[in-house]
Amino acid sequence: MQLFLDSADMSEIKRADDWGVIDGITTNPSLAAEQDRPFDKLVAEICDLVEGPVSAEVVATEYDQIMQEARQLDDISEHIVVKVPLIKQGLKAVDELSDEGIETNVTLNFQANQGLLAMKAGATYLSPFIGRLDDRGQQGLQLVEQLTQIKHNYGFETDILAASIRHPDHVLQCSLIGADVATLPFEVLESLYDHPLTDSGLAGFLEDWEESGLEI
Ligand code: E4P
């Protein structure tokens, strides 16, 4: 399973990229709005730093404007994946963008039938929002399971990109289900490294080594 960082914060992106563990970046309009700088420059800087796909979202909701914004975003870098909301006009645009060879990430997927439509439209990535479904008392991971099953039933090439991840167990469960990608907030990514026995074990090894006087 690929791991993307879900962030528009350059300091987080630099730190995670330096760990060498992330395969790409997802942003959304809310994350971008927290950064006090022009969106095109921010996205260009992310693309310069990170080698993998970088999702940048359109904010138009009508076909012609979505296509215009998509082409503007696509011009920024070859890393760009145009993120498009799962609405009728959005999927119409995804169909055309797919024909033009522009990569897309269909976002705000909360139901398997919606996802089927996005796969049929030729989405490169499809983003089910797990945490937001859990917040409503629904089973976000069940949606990832259903989408993965549909993908394999019909041989769709769309990558299932688990989004709205809230904690490490979401990551584990997505990898067991067989999601293609999970996009993680910085705190969740960092927490994947942690276990108290790793810390205490390392402290013990280093203490014993120090006392022995050995050298490498
Ligand atoms: C996905 O691409 C979205 O940016 C993100 O995962 C949404 O997560 P949230 O529900 O924590 O806002």
Side-chain angles (χ1 to χ4, degrees):
M1 185 170 73
Q2 290 198 313
L3 295 178
F4 290 178
L5 183 69
D6 193 31
S7 176
D9 180 328
M10 279 311 299
S11 66
E12 289 182 353
I13 293 170
K14 281 179 185 159
R15 285 178 67 195
D17 185 63
D18 186 54
W19 296 336
V21 74
I22 53 168
D23 302 294
I25 302 289
T26 53
T27 66
N28 65 40
S30 302
L31 293 172
E34 290 169 7
Q35 307 304 312
D36 190 21
R37 51 185 303 199
F39 184 54
D40 56 345
K41 293 194 169 41
L42 171 67
V43 169
E45 192 178 336
I46 297 172
C47 289
D48 283 347
L49 180 72
V50 177
E51 283 185 17
V54 175
S55 287
E57 189 161 342
V58 299
V59 289
T61 55
E62 295 298 332
Y63 175 77
D64 288 341
Q65 287 72 37
I66 292 174
M67 290 302 294
Q68 189 187 331
E69 290 182 5
R71 292 196 175 105
Q72 274 176 248
L73 291 170
D74 182 60
D75 281 346
I76 293 175
S77 163
E78 59 187 17
H79 294 255
I80 287 288
V81 174
V82 179
K83 210 168 172 189
V84 179
L86 205 161
I87 56 176
K88 292 186 186 76
Q89 299 289 299
L91 292 192
K92 181 178 170 185
V94 167
D95 195 31
E96 174 58 25
L97 292 167
S98 165
D99 287 348
E100 293 180 17
I102 294 177
E103 295 202 328
T104 55
N105 175 357
V106 173
T107 187
L108 294 167
N109 176 205
F110 293 97
Q111 213 254 25
N113 284 334
Q114 291 181 310
L116 172 63
L117 295 174
M119 290 187 230
K120 287 176 72 72
T124 315
Y125 298 94
L126 171 63
S127 293
F129 275 36
I130 300 174
R132 293 193 194 190
L133 281 168
D134 288 359
D135 292 345
R136 289 167 53 92
Q138 293 179 250
Q139 301 296 318
L141 287 165
Q142 193 178 52
L143 175 58
V144 178
E145 270 171 9
Q146 291 169 341
L147 294 170
T148 304
Q149 177 81 52
I150 291 168
K151 169 183 164 144
H152 293 303
N153 283 352
Y154 299 102
F156 288 117
E157 290 180 4
T158 302
D159 278 354
I160 307 301
L161 193 171
S164 188
I165 298 266
R166 297 274 195 265
H167 48 70
D169 193 52
H170 273 157
V171 183
L172 173 61
Q173 296 307 324
C174 284
S175 66
L176 293 174
I177 290 167
D180 299 290
V181 190
T183 188
L184 320 184
F186 183 83
E187 300 72 31
V188 176
L189 177 67
E190 189 169 35
S191 74
L192 298 187
Y193 286 91
D194 294 341
H195 195 284
L197 290 178
T198 303
D199 297 338
S200 60
L202 179 60
F205 287 157
L206 295 183
E207 200 179 308
D208 292 343
W209 182 265
E210 184 68 29
E211 280 172 17
S212 74
L214 290 168
E215 287 178 6
I216 289 179

